[in-house]
Amino acid sequence: MEPGVEAAAARLGRARRVTVITGAGVSAASGIPTFRGAAGLWKTYRPEELATPGAFAKDPRTVWEWYDWRRQAIAAASPNSAHETIAAWSLRFEEFTLVTQNVDGLHELAGTLGVIRFHGSIWILRCAVSCGARPDGWEDRTAPLEDLPPRCPECGGLARPGVVWFGEAIPGDALESAWRAVECDVCVVVGTSSLVMSAASLVDEARARGAYTVEVNPEATPASSRVDCAIAGRAEEVLPEIERLIRARA
Ligand code: OAD
């Protein structure tokens, strides 16, 4: 068993308010490449070169080809034991919030309640020229997409993915709800490189407000030295192990 698992289970076992923050590592075992690992490279591009308004303005087709590639990987994927454990926690704790940076929808598919999507959804499209006809965008689960780049059904202008790009603001309501949710007893941050703001600052805020903080990640991150308990392991192994111990103690 990884060091820290016992301590995390003990804290969670007596927690009332729990907040979990996730990143791409949670979906790695479902076959979805993380952004910053070697598998995150697509053709010769890094995500930081594609997930920006500037990249889309310059070459919407290439940006859409990348999203179409990710959409196809996600369409073929199912939630793994990390998503399932988090879904069980969302039912167990008196107050539970999941703040996810993932746009794949696998947490929702696993049945997790209380999901705050920080970076939107890859299954939502929006009008890139903001014609205003569908301000919240529309759902499109076609994978692969029939026409690249896809178009707004109202005005015929370019459509864009309904995700938050580098340099764009996190939706205000998501940010506000996340800020409220870090007022908790235990905050668990899982599978994120903790490099991208504002998600990266949430665990620090939780700790500053008195929460016991746990990180689950096979690699060290900037958050590792700042949390109370850093567990070096994979989400799909560590989270079910924590859950097993919580049940054994109950
Ligand atoms: P990253 O790709 O930056 O980091 C993934 C993290 O998951 C790394 O720290 C890995 O060590 C860890 N990891 C890999 N396999 C794991 C496993 N089986 N269990 C647990 N952890 C594992 O992804 P994010 O931190 O989610 O934003 O990236 C944050 C944001 O940057 C994304 O939402 C996306 C990206 O560019 C935008 O597109 C705006």
Side-chain angles (χ1 to χ4, degrees):
M1 193 190 304
E2 303 292 344
V5 169
E6 288 266 8
R11 291 290 185 145
L12 281 164
R14 45 178 202 269
R16 199 174 63 75
R17 300 167 306 166
V18 172
T19 294
V20 177
I21 300 162
T22 62
V26 165
S27 296
S30 297
I32 303 169
T34 58
F35 292 98
R36 289 176 182 77
L41 274 180
W42 175 77
K43 298 190 178 174
T44 53
Y45 302 96
R46 287 180 296 114
E48 294 87 341
E49 296 170 297
L50 294 165
T52 70
F56 186 75
K58 206 165 120 202
D59 188 353
R61 189 180 171 88
T62 300
V63 171
W64 262 116
E65 281 176 5
W66 180 60
Y67 278 102
D68 196 38
W69 172 72
R70 287 192 72 85
R71 283 165 60 104
Q72 289 177 56
I74 295 166
S78 309
N80 64 59
S81 51
H83 297 108
E84 282 157 12
T85 304
I86 293 168
W89 291 354
S90 79
L91 298 171
R92 154 110 41 83
F93 294 105
E94 210 172 301
E95 285 179 29
F96 178 89
T97 306
L98 170 68
V99 181
T100 187
Q101 298 165 87
N102 298 346
V103 297
D104 55 32
L106 290 184
H107 283 300
E108 291 89 336
L109 205 58
T112 308
L113 305 178
V115 181
I116 298 175
R117 279 201 230 132
F118 239 46
H119 291 166
S121 166
I122 202 163
W123 302 116
I124 300 289
L125 270 56
R126 291 203 332 250
C127 177
V129 290
S130 301
C131 73
R134 300 194 192 186
D136 298 327
W138 61 95
E139 192 178 76
D140 182 334
R141 291 192 170 255
T142 329
L145 281 158
E146 279 155 25
D147 294 311
L148 286 184
R151 301 257 157 199
C152 170
E154 305 293 340
C155 74
L158 277 180
R160 58 162 287 176
V163 303
V164 175
W165 280 331
F166 290 103
E168 293 182 328
I170 308 290
D173 52 344
L175 205 53
E176 262 174 46
S177 309
W179 215 242
R180 273 198 302 276
V182 289
E183 187 82 35
C184 58
D185 302 321
V186 180
C187 178
V188 188
V189 57
V190 195
T192 172
S193 54
S194 290
L195 292 169
V196 176
M197 291 298 160
S198 313
S201 57
L202 289 174
V203 70
D204 291 329
E205 182 62 21
R207 189 157 192 261
R209 294 199 215 165
Y212 183 77
T213 51
V214 180
E215 180 186 60
V216 179
N217 197 313
E219 310 278 341
T221 76
S224 307
S225 58
R226 302 201 296 260
V227 294
D228 297 296
C229 173
I231 303 173
R234 294 190 164 96
E236 66 277 15
E237 291 163 7
V238 171
L239 297 190
E241 186 61 16
I242 293 176
E243 172 66 5
R244 195 185 62 73
L245 287 182
I246 297 174
R247 283 176 188 231
R249 284 163 183 273

